Amino acid sequence: MPASSSASVADPMASAAARVSKHEDRRDQLAESALVTLGKLGYAKTSLREIAQHSPFSHGVVHYYFSNKEELITYCVRYYKRTCVTRYDAIVASSTSADELQERFAAKLAETIREEGPMHQLWYDLRNQSMFEPALREVVLEIDGQLEQMIWRVVTRYSELAGRRAALDPATTYGMLDGLFAQALLLWATGPTEDREDVLSVLTNRVDALMPSLLA
């Protein structure tokens, strides 16, 4: 009995989906490689050619998948922040008291600078650049809103565990914690290497002192 034509001919939709998946996988690989260079050099000093020189990919390959630097960087930021915006969700879900959540949250803030400092430097660099580069504004505002929601989830759960309502609105709360984080990151990045752990200890102490004041 002859095989059906549907079995002998590849499904065009499946083939198209596979091509799209392969394309996105390569873009993700390029983003991972580019983030390393961007984290070291910053936005202004990084070009597509510079990214290619510090990666396994040629300039032609990078240019094939991304038409310009702004397109690559916005993709990189979205790629990286995909996981960052849920970074504290496990702490929120598993903490059983306000004191525990506060302690774990403060420790996690310090840990993320310790382990991913250059990536955070890149984020603040891009956020500043977005005031002058219209191509960056949409993605920066989008991610900044997601980070605000991330912090608000922490504070909402903290207030529930403490049995007290939040004293401030989400934007103000985010601004206060983001300010402490940015100050610590600046000192961590620019100060003596031997002082870095002291900087992070100061950050955790300041967050511990701030958190109760966020509740009414």
Side-chain angles (χ1 to χ4, degrees):
M1 189 173 179
S4 66
S5 58
S6 60
S8 60
V9 179
D11 183 348
M13 293 186 65
S15 299
R19 286 195 297 272
V20 170
S21 177
K22 184 177 180 180
H23 185 83
E24 291 305 309
D25 286 346
R26 177 51 60 89
R27 281 164 68 90
D28 286 352
Q29 291 170 9
L30 287 166
E32 288 178 1
S33 179
L35 281 168
V36 176
T37 304
L38 286 162
K40 291 178 180 177
L41 301 181
Y43 172 83
K45 294 182 179 179
T46 306
S47 64
L48 289 183
R49 190 171 297 279
E50 191 79 36
I51 289 168
Q53 288 175 351
H54 292 83
S55 78
F57 307 101
S58 68
H59 180 252
V61 169
V62 175
H63 206 357
Y64 174 79
Y65 286 94
F66 299 98
S67 59
N68 54 48
K69 183 172 82 168
E70 286 74 21
E71 183 185 355
L72 171 59
I73 288 176
T74 55
Y75 189 89
C76 285
V77 174
R78 282 197 173 100
Y79 174 81
Y80 175 65
K81 289 297 181 182
R82 228 181 272 167
T83 54
C84 289
V85 296
T86 59
R87 159 187 326 278
Y88 305 104
D89 287 0
I91 293 173
V92 170
S94 59
S95 295
T96 57
S97 70
D99 288 343
E100 180 191 358
L101 192 155
Q102 176 181 313
E103 180 181 351
R104 293 174 67 192
F105 173 59
K108 189 69 173 178
L109 283 170
E111 178 188 300
T112 188
I113 290 180
R114 183 185 298 113
E115 295 184 354
E116 303 173 33
M119 294 299 98
H120 294 297
Q121 291 172 244
L122 174 61
W123 164 245
Y124 285 105
D125 183 18
L126 292 178
R127 197 165 73 172
N128 290 335
Q129 289 290 338
S130 70
M131 290 188 278
F132 307 98
E133 294 279 357
L136 297 175
R137 287 174 193 165
E138 181 180 353
V139 67
V140 165
L141 290 173
E142 172 193 325
I143 292 171
D144 207 47
Q146 292 173 356
L147 294 173
E148 180 183 310
Q149 293 168 17
M150 173 188 75
I151 294 300
W152 191 241
R153 289 195 295 274
V154 174
V155 174
T156 298
R157 181 57 178 158
Y158 178 62
S159 70
E160 291 171 354
L161 291 170
R164 297 161 58 190
R165 66 178 177 82
L168 303 169
D169 61 275
T172 304
T173 300
Y174 170 56
M176 294 173 73
L177 285 165
D178 183 65
L180 290 181
F181 187 87
Q183 285 179 340
L185 180 65
L186 177 63
L187 293 173
W188 182 89
T190 60
T193 302
E194 61 269 21
D195 292 344
R196 283 182 166 182
E197 287 304 313
D198 292 336
V199 168
L200 299 184
S201 293
V202 170
L203 171 63
T204 57
N205 290 337
R206 286 177 173 172
V207 173
D208 278 333
L210 176 64
M211 290 291 284
S213 69
L214 299 178
L215 304 181

